[in-house]
Amino acid sequence: MGASSTQDARTASSTAVSTDGSTFHSNAALDSQVIFEGFSNFQAMPTQTAEYTNVKIAQNAQLFKDLGITSFELAPQYRSSTDASFLDSVVQNGYAFTDRYDVGYNTPTKYGTVAQLLSAIKALHAQGIQAINDWVPDQIYNLPGEEIVTAERTNSAGIYDQDSAINNTLYDSHTVGGGQYQAMYGGAFLDKIKQLYPDLFKTKQISTGQSMNPNEKITEWSAKYFNGSNIQGRGAWYVLKDWATNKYFSVSSNNSFLPNQLLAGKASTGFVTENDKTTFYSTSGYQAKGTFIQDGNNWYYFDNDGYMVTGANKINGYNYYFLPNGIELRDAYLSDGNKSYYYNKAGRQVADRYYLLADGNWRYFFKDGTMAKGLTQITAVNGETVTQYFDSEGIQVKGKAVIDSSNNIRYFAENTGDMVIDGFGKDSDGSWLYLDHQGVAVTGKQVINGQTLYFNADGRQVKNDFKELADGSWLYLDQNGVAVTGKQVINGQTLYFNADGRQVKDDFKELPDGSWLYLDQNGVAVTGKQTIRGQHLYFKADGIQVKGDAVLEADGKLHYYDPDSGEEWL
């Protein structure tokens, strides 16, 4: 737009302390900042020096300055793992690395050598551009050393995943190592970090409840540093165990555990039924007691006496259900004709929580495990009670209107599924409803926020249409659903509506400029020569009554109309 290439529209950063409790604030200093993010997922591997990203950045630092860029976020500079097990290690974008400190020593990364990285940073700084490092702490990947750890599966919030079969399970984890430069530089900058950011070592970590050890210098990684973030689902069931006893096989001088066959013990295997009771012996020859047993695709449970259970059972604090043949329900629903229950992929009954289905829909199960249906009140962990709706299949309704068991029309918010109260809701077909303070859709004429609106019997707001009221009068609702007032041209006809939105019929109406209309029995402004209430009057093509003027009429003569009454002078 003609601005000089040297123009700088930025404002100075502010050091004022905020006390309103908010983390982010919009202000001139912040809003004038422009961050450029470098990213390289689909950038080809360079074949010559001039093609390396950091070389290009150094060459174009002045251009970035001219473009108004204030901060430059470099792509992650680490040497990628190349095991090709997933995308990041295939495209070598720096998001999956083994040595956190290898940023291009000896041989270049995808972005260049360590010297080229330094040149790029110096070039940016020379132009007053901040350099930002793209670094994801837990993406250390493909460490060469293995160790056996105890693992359980959690969700992104650190809460145990009740659908997971991994629960305090021994796990073969690749969590040992770090590389040449981790050994060289790991902890080398710890004292400086403590000096600059002392509070960093006072904050308690969510995963452990403990603050970081300020004296731990990590020159080689192990599982204790990861808190499970390096598991990646590839080491479960690598450690051999006997499922009948839930003991892991081990060999030691004082506490060995081996298959019975190797100890010359009884070596019965499989199911044994005697006196209508079924027991089970593992392939190692041990009887199953107080444990789950998998046989093919089916699971069973044997109690502490070693007998197979059936029906509903509570085991280790969870509710399970076993068919008459002992097969455990997993990823299955159970109905008694009135109530429905769900048993997840681990066979545990889902209770007192929402459950996300594969198709993205939600169900809710009460504390007793029954699936919610119909209008339902749910108390959240913060103590707030919300009203939601679940259809006949138990699917939560979101962004739709429904008719409840009392024939009331209600609407449930698209994001939360909460019942809307004292507000509008947009139904799945694009129509709108208004819900009163009890969450029931209003009908008929309504005055909401000072506007006259109309809603059909199904709760949907009328737009671009006429509606007849109970007293026989009419409204016209515009494209926003608001009743129009004053003079209007609708479908080519001139009409008039009072301040309350009611259409005027069989009556005169004065316009703001002092002119007059006459609306006939259909509410349409008359035109031409008219005899109304015994008076001879004349109305122009736009419906405006002629007063104090002459009109050349069809008889070829001029006819004059009184300036006050508008009546024709004869």
Side-chain angles (χ1 to χ4, degrees):
M1 300 299 292
S4 168
S5 62
T6 59
Q7 175 179 304
D8 189 346
R10 292 174 295 170
T11 55
S13 297
S14 172
T15 58
V17 177
S18 171
T19 59
D20 63 4
S22 298
T23 302
F24 299 105
H25 299 82
S26 178
N27 55 50
L30 179 63
D31 294 345
S32 66
Q33 303 299 305
V34 179
I35 300 176
F36 180 95
E37 180 182 6
F39 199 66
S40 70
N41 262 12
F42 306 106
Q43 175 184 326
M45 293 296 293
T47 58
Q48 51 188 341
T49 300
E51 295 175 349
Y52 283 110
T53 299
N54 292 334
V55 173
K56 293 294 185 184
I57 292 172
Q59 292 173 346
N60 292 280
Q62 178 65 54
L63 173 62
F64 297 133
K65 169 75 171 182
D66 293 343
L67 292 173
I69 293 168
T70 59
S71 298
F72 195 107
E73 181 179 345
L74 290 87
Q77 297 291 313
Y78 310 102
R79 187 181 307 283
S80 290
S81 166
T82 56
D83 75 334
S85 63
F86 72 121
L87 178 63
D88 288 347
S89 62
V90 174
V91 299
Q92 299 185 42
N93 57 15
Y95 282 113
F97 50 86
T98 300
D99 192 331
R100 176 177 287 173
Y101 290 92
D102 188 353
V103 289
Y105 292 103
N106 295 325
T107 59
T109 67
K110 185 176 186 178
Y111 309 111
T113 65
V114 66
Q116 291 162 350
L117 171 59
L118 290 172
S119 294
I121 294 173
K122 289 178 180 178
L124 292 171
H125 285 175
Q127 298 297 329
I129 299 175
Q130 178 189 47
I132 301 175
N133 180 29
D134 187 340
W135 170 60
V136 183
D138 66 351
Q139 287 189 327
I140 296 177
Y141 181 76
N142 203 31
L143 293 173
E146 299 176 68
E147 57 187 325
I148 302 301
V149 301
T150 300
E152 67 178 22
R153 186 70 65 202
T154 66
N155 62 19
S156 58
I159 300 172
Y160 173 61
D161 181 0
Q162 298 185 42
D163 290 337
S164 176
I166 299 176
N167 182 15
N168 292 320
T169 304
L170 288 187
Y171 200 101
D172 178 19
S173 179
H174 285 257
T175 45
V176 178
Q180 172 185 353
Y181 300 100
Q182 178 74 45
M184 185 181 303
Y185 295 114
F189 310 101
L190 183 60
D191 292 337
K192 186 67 173 178
I193 293 173
K194 287 192 290 185
Q195 178 185 349
L196 294 173
Y197 310 105
D199 290 342
L200 187 64
F201 299 90
K202 299 176 183 178
T203 303
K204 292 184 178 180
Q205 300 176 81
I206 295 175
S207 56
T208 64
Q210 303 294 321
S211 57
M212 289 188 292
N213 184 347
N215 301 310
E216 186 95 38
K217 297 187 176 183
I218 304 172
T219 57
E220 182 180 65
W221 294 103
S222 68
K224 66 181 179 180
Y225 299 119
F226 289 111
N227 295 322
S229 61
N230 201 261
I231 296 301
Q232 297 179 356
R234 299 195 300 181
W237 326 129
Y238 285 25
V239 184
L240 298 179
K241 67 182 289 187
D242 172 57
W243 288 88
T245 59
N246 276 319
K247 292 182 179 180
Y248 289 94
F249 293 117
S250 62
V251 179
S252 65
S253 58
N254 57 358
N255 188 24
S256 295
F257 181 69
L258 295 168
N260 247 339
Q261 293 91 332
L262 300 181
L263 301 176
K266 182 180 179 181
S268 299
T269 61
F271 293 92
V272 177
T273 301
E274 294 180 349
N275 300 321
D276 295 327
K277 293 185 175 182
T278 301
T279 56
F280 182 86
Y281 293 84
S282 68
T283 55
S284 303
Y286 294 100
Q287 184 179 2
K289 291 185 177 182
T291 188
F292 289 90
I293 291 294
Q294 183 179 17
D295 180 58
N297 293 324
N298 296 322
W299 286 82
Y300 305 81
Y301 185 80
F302 295 83
D303 63 22
N304 292 332
D305 295 323
Y307 296 113
M308 184 173 72
V309 303
T310 60
N313 284 267
K314 191 164 190 173
I315 302 168
N316 299 327
Y318 295 101
N319 291 321
Y320 298 84
Y321 192 88
F322 302 85
L323 299 175
N325 59 4
I327 294 175
E328 179 190 5
L329 285 185
R330 288 195 170 204
D331 192 18
Y333 290 86
L334 177 69
S335 176
D336 62 6
N338 295 314
K339 297 180 179 180
S340 297
Y341 307 84
Y342 176 69
Y343 296 85
N344 66 16
K345 294 177 181 179
R348 297 169 187 150
Q349 185 186 77
V350 176
D352 198 23
R353 67 185 179 101
Y354 293 92
Y355 190 83
L356 178 62
L357 306 179
D359 61 5
N361 286 314
W362 291 87
R363 288 190 167 107
Y364 183 82
F365 296 86
F366 295 107
K367 287 184 178 181
D368 64 356
T370 56
M371 184 169 68
K373 293 182 181 181
L375 203 61
T376 303
Q377 287 194 325
I378 296 171
T379 301
V381 292
N382 62 2
E384 180 184 357
T385 298
V386 296
T387 301
Q388 300 180 339
Y389 191 88
F390 300 82
D391 67 17
S392 60
E393 299 297 323
I395 302 297
Q396 185 181 15
V397 171
K398 291 184 176 183
K400 289 177 61 178
V402 298
I403 300 176
D404 67 17
S405 59
S406 300
N407 287 323
N408 291 316
I409 300 169
R410 301 181 184 274
Y411 178 84
F412 299 86
E414 184 174 4
N415 293 327
T416 64
D418 294 345
M419 184 174 72
V420 173
I421 296 174
D422 290 326
F424 287 92
K426 187 177 182 180
D427 205 0
S428 55
D429 63 0
S431 59
W432 288 84
L433 305 94
Y434 186 83
L435 298 307
D436 64 17
H437 63 283
Q438 294 181 330
V440 178
V442 300
T443 60
K445 179 187 174 186
Q446 303 287 332
V447 177
I448 300 171
N449 299 327
Q451 295 180 318
T452 300
L453 313 176
Y454 192 93
F455 300 84
N456 284 328
D458 61 2
R460 286 167 167 76
Q461 185 181 8
V462 175
K463 295 184 177 183
N464 292 320
D465 202 1
F466 290 90
K467 286 308 295 188
E468 185 177 10
L469 304 182
D471 62 2
S473 59
W474 288 80
L475 305 174
Y476 184 82
L477 297 307
D478 64 15
Q479 69 273 17
N480 296 314
V482 179
V484 299
T485 60
K487 178 186 175 185
Q488 303 288 331
V489 178
I490 300 171
N491 300 329
Q493 295 179 319
T494 301
L495 314 177
Y496 193 93
F497 299 83
N498 284 330
D500 63 359
R502 285 174 164 80
Q503 185 181 7
V504 174
K505 295 184 178 183
D506 288 324
D507 203 359
F508 289 91
K509 286 308 295 187
E510 184 177 10
L511 302 182
D513 63 2
S515 59
W516 289 79
L517 304 174
Y518 184 81
L519 297 306
D520 66 14
Q521 69 273 18
N522 296 315
V524 179
V526 299
T527 62
K529 195 161 191 173
Q530 303 286 334
T531 300
I532 301 171
R533 299 170 187 171
Q535 291 182 312
H536 300 288
L537 312 175
Y538 195 93
F539 298 84
K540 297 178 183 178
D542 60 0
I544 302 298
Q545 184 181 7
V546 175
K547 288 187 176 184
D549 200 1
V551 177
L552 182 62
E553 297 184 18
D555 60 4
K557 297 179 181 179
L558 283 172
H559 295 256
Y560 184 79
Y561 293 87
D562 187 84
D564 295 320
S565 67
E567 187 170 7
E568 181 183 13
W569 285 8
L570 297 175

